[in-house]
Amino acid sequence: MMNTSPVAPPGRRAQLLAAGAATVTVGLWASAFVAIRSAGASYSPGALALGRLLAGALVLGAVCVVRGEGLPPRDAWRGIAISGVLWFGFYMVALNWGEQQVDAGTAALVVNIGPILIALLGARLLGDAMPPRLLAGMAVSFAGAVAVGLSMSGGGGSSVLGVVLCLLAAVAYAAGVVAQKPALGRASVLQVTTYGCLVGAVVCLPFAGQLVHDAAHAPLTATLDMVYLGVFPTALAFTTWAYALARTSASRMGATTYAVPALVVLMSWLFLDEVPGLLTLAGGVLCLAGVAVSRSRPRGGPASASAPEPGAAGPDAGPDAGPDAGHGTAPGPARTAATAPAGAPAPTSAPEPGKRTEQP
């Protein structure tokens, strides 16, 4: 008997999987703020970053061994190394340190320029599109993130050092994401995440002595929080992030992270008994509304449901737009329709859809 159940087209299925991966990432990154608040009381910024990365690298390395993943291709190492140094390494240390020097409002204002920088760098270096809906959504979400930060501020002061550290963290985050995007067209998601985490751990090795000292004096709950940060918000969330990034543009993925402040408000309410005020709730709603706007598409447009994501077929995207993206395989020979009637004139030469151009 013929199966008549509806089957989602491959393009739609890939979009749903990417959206699910992005949702997992945002949720776990939001939970990281709660864990960092607990572990940060017993671990210094560098020690916390190193312990988190070592735990993440251990889990990712074990998964790579079980799956038989080899070394990434040579042409993927540049993006892996840059993202590992800037995002996995420098960003984590600078953010941990900066948030100890400034109040929550200043941190929200400075750090949340990261997605805006991703959009600008993605447009300049990756050819990502910047449609009006994306820009409008990011503006709304940024306003919401600042409102959340200001409302949750404890009234503390802000040092010049703290502001600079948060700014450097935002720049490193943006540059790391943009560098990671081309690598995902040449190596698998697991390879890019695992070796990026290893590079970040190597960068943080100067804090090994401090990590040993802090671990000897920290309570068990703080150490467990650090391990949680490594296993879930690092190993799992960075992998699902890379999976989603390989299937959409860096600009849209950056805008998606504006949902994190709204989830932090909810988790602080549930787990820390921090009842949010009206300004906090309004800011969280703005964050989610901005993400919804930035991810939406105009109705009635000529594009079909399976059309590639804007920017996903740019010079550095390679095969990322397809459901088999991120495995480092070179595009196969062009497929031409062979169903034309005999004697029909040959079709004129046209550029192949999604054809990858060489990176300058």
Side-chain angles (χ1 to χ4, degrees):
M1 179 181 295
M2 182 179 298
N3 185 5
T4 59
S5 59
V7 178
R12 179 62 177 170
R13 180 175 180 273
Q15 291 175 6
L16 292 176
L17 290 175
T23 302
V24 171
T25 298
V26 169
L28 290 176
W29 282 355
S31 73
F33 284 88
V34 179
I36 288 173
R37 184 175 303 181
S38 174
S42 303
Y43 285 90
S44 65
L48 179 58
L50 176 59
R52 174 180 177 175
L53 289 168
L54 288 176
L58 182 62
V59 173
L60 289 168
V63 175
C64 279
V65 171
V66 171
R67 290 178 55 88
E69 295 274 352
L71 291 173
R74 183 180 302 177
D75 57 355
W77 271 105
R78 180 184 177 187
I80 292 174
I82 294 175
S83 65
V85 170
L86 294 180
W87 192 11
F88 286 85
F90 183 84
Y91 166 80
M92 290 191 182
V93 177
L95 183 62
N96 291 345
W97 189 5
E99 290 194 348
Q100 292 182 355
Q101 306 292 320
V102 301
D103 59 65
T106 303
L109 176 63
V110 178
V111 173
N112 278 292
I113 70 172
I116 299 174
L117 295 176
I118 291 175
L120 295 176
L121 290 174
R124 177 67 179 86
L125 302 177
L126 303 179
D128 285 354
M130 296 183 67
R133 285 173 178 257
L134 174 62
L135 298 177
M138 293 181 73
V140 172
S141 290
F142 180 72
V146 174
V148 169
L150 291 174
S151 63
M152 298 182 71
S153 175
S158 299
S159 68
V160 175
L161 175 61
V163 173
V164 171
L165 286 170
C166 288
L167 179 60
L168 290 176
V171 174
Y173 160 52
V177 170
V178 174
Q180 189 186 61
K181 173 66 175 178
L184 290 168
R186 299 166 174 85
S188 71
V189 167
L190 189 57
Q191 287 174 329
V192 171
T193 308
T194 301
Y195 288 94
C197 188
L198 284 173
V199 170
V202 171
V203 170
C204 293
L205 279 180
F207 301 105
Q210 187 66 44
L211 174 60
V212 173
H213 175 271
D214 292 349
H217 298 85
L220 178 61
T221 54
T223 302
L224 291 177
D225 284 332
M226 182 178 65
V227 173
Y228 169 82
L229 288 169
V231 175
F232 294 98
T234 302
L236 178 56
F238 273 80
T239 301
T240 52
W241 163 275
Y243 178 90
L245 179 62
R247 290 155 176 80
T248 187
S249 68
S251 303
R252 290 187 180 275
M253 279 302 296
T256 303
T257 61
Y258 274 125
V260 171
L263 294 179
V264 170
V265 172
L266 178 60
M267 291 181 180
S268 298
W269 190 358
L270 295 176
F271 299 109
L272 301 178
D273 294 326
E274 297 179 354
V275 180
L278 292 179
L279 181 59
T280 306
L281 291 174
V285 171
L286 282 177
C287 288
L288 296 178
V291 172
V293 171
S294 66
R295 300 287 298 185
S296 65
R297 298 176 182 274
R299 293 185 178 180
S304 64
S306 60
E309 187 82 10
D316 291 314
D320 296 348
D324 296 323
H327 296 285
T329 56
R335 296 188 180 123
T336 56
T339 58
T348 57
S349 177
E352 303 167 14
K355 181 177 177 62
R356 174 177 171 183
T357 58
E358 293 299 325
Q359 181 180 2

